[in-house]
Amino acid sequence: MSTSHPAWLKRMQNGSIGEARARAFLIDRFWILERSVDIEGADFIIQRRITTHSLFDLRPPRLGLVQAKFIQDEKTDIYIHSEYVKEKTGEPHPEFFLLVSTGYEDRCVMHLLSAEDIMQNFAMVEPGLENAGKYKLPGKTLFNNKFKVASPRLSLERMEASLNLADIVKNHRFMFPFVSTEAPKEAAIAPKYSEKIDNAYASNIPKTFFTIKKDARRWLEDVEEAKGYLEDIVTSIDPLIALKAAKDFDSMLTVDGRLSLGRLYDKEFEDEVNEYSHKLALLKQHNLLDNYILLREKGEKLISEHLCTGEPWNKQDVCLFECKLDNMLNVTSFGLRKEQEKHSLPNNGTVQVIASDAETIELCFSFVPAVCRWSFSDTYQENPTWEQTVLSNARVWTATILFTVFSWIEQDFCSAEKLDVYR
């Protein structure tokens, strides 16, 4: 009777053996942090056993990444992602280690490789081949005992020393994807700024804010790195180490250096956010926010539907739009038609208020449907289709209407003199 196992079962068994032996090896010297998800290349996240710093400190303790493998014979090769092994600058990551276990029972052997060991002794797979961009570690090389752990104590001490010398900022950047599964906090914005109120920045407030915060985060990391170099100079007792830190610090201050910081404050953006906030507050105060947003959606639908029905529109055709709203922003009448007498129409794209009081507003404006006007939320197209033209025009002209409608809300039926009538 055959005792062979299917390939999938062997892989599971080997993975379990590798992790179990690595955990037993590491736990004598390090705290092993639990992972919330299984990330390839990060079988174990380790931390030196120190209690004077926590992960929430400005300069948290350095963490290490350990990948654990088990190979049963020399025919088994190991592949390691290059980004785990080396930085973009080509320097090895001092916080990455590979633990390879071989043999069974009395013949168990542990092999320890640092990122530097991998870079110096193995090559990456060439582009175009399977596993391209990964380091290939032939099983035959691993079985020759070059990286055998002869003394667990000494091997663990080397790992600890390597972590201790790792640059704190680079360590944080390297480890962050493995210890955090949350979306970057830079993407967070107060929900009120996501309302579709149609001012100049209405669709872009979250995007513009995110861009500013990303720049601030990047510069904060650079400043933190510069701070680390200055601290190394101040605390060092070795002139050579201090001079190396000084050289690294000076390299950040060159014309092309990372500390050539730009400006974050944007006066135009601040004005637009204030305008948006003013509109939002007033619409909420008079319980019109939902109706205002629904009016935008209805306006886009009405305009686009009317432009897409009937005879095609030529570039010389002018469209006259007319509508009437009540004081709850309900559309009580609506019309959209072709006009030949251009001189009798309002200026193209300019809304004309025909009549307004505290109860209703009646307005009209003209535009050329065949000429595409891109809205803030659209992506420019070189040769837009008729459908793209119609949709973008509908967004632009609806936003134009809403500017006028808001002015009516602000100046007429929400004014102190007419507030009682409205209520």
Side-chain angles (χ1 to χ4, degrees):
M1 182 177 177
S2 175
T3 58
S4 62
H5 300 295
W8 65 267
L9 183 57
K10 287 183 179 179
R11 286 195 297 270
M12 289 184 61
Q13 178 177 290
N14 291 346
S16 298
I17 293 173
E19 288 203 17
R21 292 182 182 176
R23 177 180 288 274
F25 175 78
L26 295 168
I27 205 166
D28 285 338
R29 182 63 61 102
F30 301 102
W31 285 326
I32 300 176
L33 309 184
E34 295 295 328
R35 295 164 297 158
S36 58
V37 292
D38 186 18
I39 304 175
E40 182 182 3
D43 292 321
F44 295 101
I45 298 171
I46 59 173
Q47 176 187 336
R48 295 169 58 219
R49 289 186 174 181
I50 54 176
T51 57
T52 53
H53 298 284
S54 76
L55 294 177
F56 301 102
D57 290 344
L58 289 177
R59 295 178 70 81
R62 299 162 179 82
L63 302 178
L65 217 60
V66 180
Q67 193 167 22
K69 297 289 186 181
F70 173 84
I71 55 175
Q72 59 186 11
D73 53 48
E74 297 180 355
K75 298 178 182 179
T76 305
D77 299 331
I78 294 175
Y79 294 90
I80 305 294
H81 288 281
S82 60
E83 57 264 33
Y84 299 145
V85 177
K86 63 179 182 178
E87 302 176 19
K88 293 181 180 179
T89 59
E91 295 295 316
H93 280 298
E95 52 274 279
F96 179 79
F97 306 94
L98 174 66
L99 278 174
V100 182
S101 178
T102 60
Y104 296 96
E105 298 177 355
D106 291 340
R107 297 184 178 181
C108 292
V109 178
M110 186 73 74
H111 309 264
L112 173 64
L113 294 86
S114 66
E116 185 176 8
D117 291 332
I118 296 173
M119 290 181 63
Q120 290 179 351
N121 293 274
F122 303 96
M124 285 196 293
V125 180
E126 296 179 358
L129 301 178
E130 186 179 1
N131 293 307
K134 296 181 180 180
Y135 279 94
K136 179 181 178 180
L137 285 64
K140 184 177 181 180
T141 304
L142 295 172
F143 265 84
N144 67 11
N145 293 330
K146 179 177 180 179
F147 305 102
K148 177 181 177 181
V149 175
S151 167
R153 177 180 61 82
L154 294 178
S155 295
L156 290 168
E157 285 180 357
R158 294 187 189 104
M159 292 178 69
E160 188 172 26
S162 184
L163 278 186
N164 190 41
L165 292 175
D167 179 271
I168 186 65
V169 176
K170 292 179 180 178
N171 181 262
H172 174 71
R173 288 177 180 171
F174 177 60
M175 294 299 305
F176 181 78
F178 301 100
V179 298
S180 174
T181 58
E182 296 181 0
K185 293 299 183 184
E186 289 89 350
I189 188 171
K192 68 179 181 179
Y193 292 109
S194 299
E195 300 286 0
K196 298 176 181 178
I197 298 182
D198 293 298
N199 70 323
Y201 267 91
S203 301
N204 288 331
I205 284 179
K207 182 178 179 180
T208 304
F209 187 44
F210 180 45
T211 299
I212 292 174
K213 295 179 79 173
K214 280 202 303 182
D215 288 341
R217 166 59 67 182
R218 185 177 70 253
W219 294 341
L220 180 62
E221 290 175 348
D222 291 340
V223 169
E224 183 71 18
E225 181 174 351
K227 176 175 176 285
Y229 292 140
L230 293 175
E231 288 179 344
D232 288 343
I233 297 171
V234 171
T235 60
S236 177
I237 59 174
D238 187 326
L240 290 177
I241 294 177
L243 287 170
K244 181 182 182 304
K247 183 178 181 181
D248 291 336
F249 177 79
D250 288 350
S251 69
M252 299 183 73
L253 300 178
T254 61
V255 175
D256 298 325
R258 283 171 288 161
L259 283 185
S260 300
L261 306 181
R263 295 183 179 274
L264 291 175
Y265 176 69
D266 185 336
K267 180 62 166 64
E268 182 182 357
F269 181 54
E270 181 183 39
D271 292 341
E272 297 295 343
V273 173
N274 284 331
E275 177 192 342
Y276 174 95
S277 300
H278 169 66
K279 285 186 175 183
L280 181 65
L282 191 61
L283 291 171
K284 282 186 173 182
Q285 178 185 350
H286 297 287
N287 198 29
L288 290 171
L289 178 59
D290 288 353
N291 288 5
Y292 190 84
I293 294 172
L294 291 173
L295 175 62
R296 180 191 59 79
E297 295 175 354
K298 188 171 185 179
E300 290 180 7
K301 182 179 179 181
L302 288 172
I303 293 175
S304 59
E305 285 181 349
H306 277 69
L307 292 179
C308 286
T309 58
E311 298 179 4
W313 293 75
N314 299 314
K315 287 190 176 181
Q316 67 272 15
D317 291 335
V318 179
C319 176
L320 178 65
F321 174 93
E322 297 175 306
C323 74
K324 189 174 183 179
L325 307 173
D326 64 18
N327 60 8
M328 292 304 295
L329 306 187
N330 297 307
V331 179
T332 57
S333 66
F334 170 83
L336 192 152
R337 64 179 184 274
K338 288 183 182 180
E339 289 290 337
Q340 302 300 327
E341 299 294 330
K342 296 183 181 181
H343 65 272
S344 63
L345 298 174
N347 293 332
N348 183 32
T350 302
V351 178
Q352 176 179 317
V353 178
I354 300 173
S356 68
D357 55 32
E359 296 294 333
T360 61
I361 181 173
E362 188 174 354
L363 49 84
C364 70
F365 74 97
S366 64
F367 63 97
V368 181
V371 177
C372 189
R373 294 285 300 273
W374 296 104
S375 70
F376 289 107
S377 58
D378 289 325
T379 301
Y380 175 78
Q381 302 288 336
E382 186 67 33
N383 296 301
T385 63
W386 174 244
E387 289 74 15
Q388 289 172 329
T389 300
V390 166
L391 181 57
S392 189
N393 274 332
R395 289 172 177 159
V396 169
W397 301 131
T398 302
T400 305
I401 295 169
L402 288 174
F403 276 119
T404 303
V405 170
F406 184 81
S407 297
W408 171 58
I409 295 171
E410 189 175 34
Q411 297 173 12
D412 286 346
F413 80 101
C414 281
S415 64
E417 295 82 8
K418 299 180 180 179
L419 197 53
D420 290 336
V421 178
Y422 164 65
R423 288 174 175 171

